[in-house]
Amino acid sequence: MGFALVAGIGIERATKVFARTTAIKGISLDIKDGEFMVLLGPSGCGKTTLLRCVAGLEHLDDGRITIGDRDVTDLAPRHRGIAMVFQSYAVFPHMTVEDNIGFGLRMHRRPKAEITRRVAEGAELLGLTSLLARYPAQLSGGQRQRVAVARALVMDAPVLLMDEPLSNLDALLRLQARADLKRLHKEVKRTTIYVTHDQVEAMSMGDRIAVMREGSIEQVGAPMEIYDRPASQFVGGFIGSPPMNFLRGSVRAGSFEGDGFAFPISRVPPKVDGRGLLLGVRAEHLRIGDQGVPARISVVEPLGDHALVTALVGKTPIKVQAPIDVRAKPDDDVRLAFDESKARWMDAETGAAL
Amino acid sequence: MNARVLDRTLVYGGAILLAVWVLIPLYLVAISAFTPQARLFDYPKPLVPTTFSTETMQFFLEARGVIPSVINSILVALFTIAFGLALGTPAGYALARFRFRGRQAFQVIVLATKMFPIAILSIPLAVTFLQLGLYDNLIAVALVHTAMALPFIILVTGGVFVAVSHELEEAAQTLGCSRWGAFLRVALPLALPGLAAAAIFTFVISWNEVFAATILTLRTRTLPAQVLAGLGTSPLGFKFAGGLFMAMPAVAFIFLIRRYLMNLWGSR
């Protein structure tokens, strides 16, 4: 369709203001050719708005967007070389599956033979071949979702945009569709922006994740990098299930002290004496034993392959991922050991990692 | 008896009362229209018709001027539908899609135009139409009917377009349509049943309207104007038959478009 077959996406100082609020605040982000970039954040963080700005469905109030080497900031959606999968799927109810998948090709006036061939290929790829003559009302949610993906893929646009495409599927189907989408991306290698509020989806699918909050990007990085080294309290709390644990306190003379607890530490970030700090530790980096920080067990939840234990350190509830045969009971006094090299220190005021 | 039951009793009681209020006259007109002229004054009047005859109906339809006025009525209604949809559909679409300044005010003003009785508007209207040379003319009547129907058309089509997901049009745009193309290929086909309902409703408004039609026409009468003109001198059977004939399309169409009216009032 006249677009470059591979194209990175450049977003520079993108700003979008709605009537009362600034939806995105000067975001810059570079997405490489063929990369699967996930925009992750809670609802209202601006991730969908950013995606819609790349699609051309919203116009930037400031900043620039490039796709490949073209500045697309002022182009209509149909001139940008994008294809999009919507959260509601937006499958046209008055057209058959075949006409839905071929709609974009017809709009771009491709020859009939090519449309037939590419619709067949797209349907094959998504397992829709036997459903081509049906209308959307006769399809399940999962099938409609696949029609939406097929319709976007057959466009051969260099950029694929997806807005929470799995959020309307039930849990089991979502697992399947997640794996399917990941496989598809490997096969078609389009540059993809994928919006989700589900951190598991983000972790499992993304080459990189951009964690967004209140119209800004909080951190960009590979999934494990973000998981292991969250740039802020927000990121640590948003990524991972259970979220990262945080203890609030301050360091005095080699000891970390807070509300109802004090324990010695060896690795302290420089120049933090007396400042309010957060110590972030993930549940799987904590061990229940007879060494470490004193704590009292409050809840034990067996989850099959492990047990999730909630223990109070002072007054702060801390989640611990324990072996399923852990012998802790509520009200037991225990000690929690953790690997200080895997803990994160954050500024209690700003939440930023130190 | 709890409050909910009481509530429902009141609602249903009220609804039944209203229905009876409307249906009884309609029923009486209907059985009279199919009673032979000679039996029309029977007393006591049988509530279940014992004789059925199309004689009265036939008399009405064959009366002088009735058929031409029916044709005039249909023409005026068709013009009204054309003008009304051409003007009202874009307005309804705008109300459904765009969050523009003054949107609420616009909606209220559209409804407020219904507050002026046509009787008050008729003299200035007649003067204006005389000055424009649009007198005793089907287009003139259609223009007045368009003005009367527009608020309904705008609100009904607005409700129809609200029901067509905006994401469908956006999807069409990402797939190669312009804004206008997305409307034509996606929103419009999906809105067609609702627009048809609006058209039918417009037809009924125009078909039933008598005041403006009487003032603005002399020789090219619409049916209600024609019936009204002869009301003082026509026999009773003629009135019953004419009443029924004029009421039938409205009753039939309201049944057809009930669903869309419910949509409209439910969504606002």
Side-chain angles (χ1 to χ4, degrees), chain B residues 77 80-81 145 149 197-210 224 246-255 257:
Chain B
T80 306
I81 289 171
H145 289 183
I200 290 171
F201 199 44
T202 306
F203 185 95
V204 171
I205 289 178
S206 172
W207 175 266
N208 287 346
E209 200 285 325
V210 61
M246 283 192 286
M248 273 187 319
V251 174
F253 291 146
I254 290 296
F255 268 103
I257 65 167

Side-chain angles (χ1 to χ4, degrees), chain B residues 217-251:
Chain B
T217 60
L218 195 59
R219 284 162 314 216
T220 49
R221 294 275 197 213
T222 62
L223 182 62
Q226 177 73 22
V227 171
L228 183 68
L231 207 55
T233 53
S234 52
L236 193 60
F238 181 88
K239 293 175 193 166
F240 283 132
L244 185 68
F245 190 81
M246 283 192 286
M248 273 187 319
V251 174

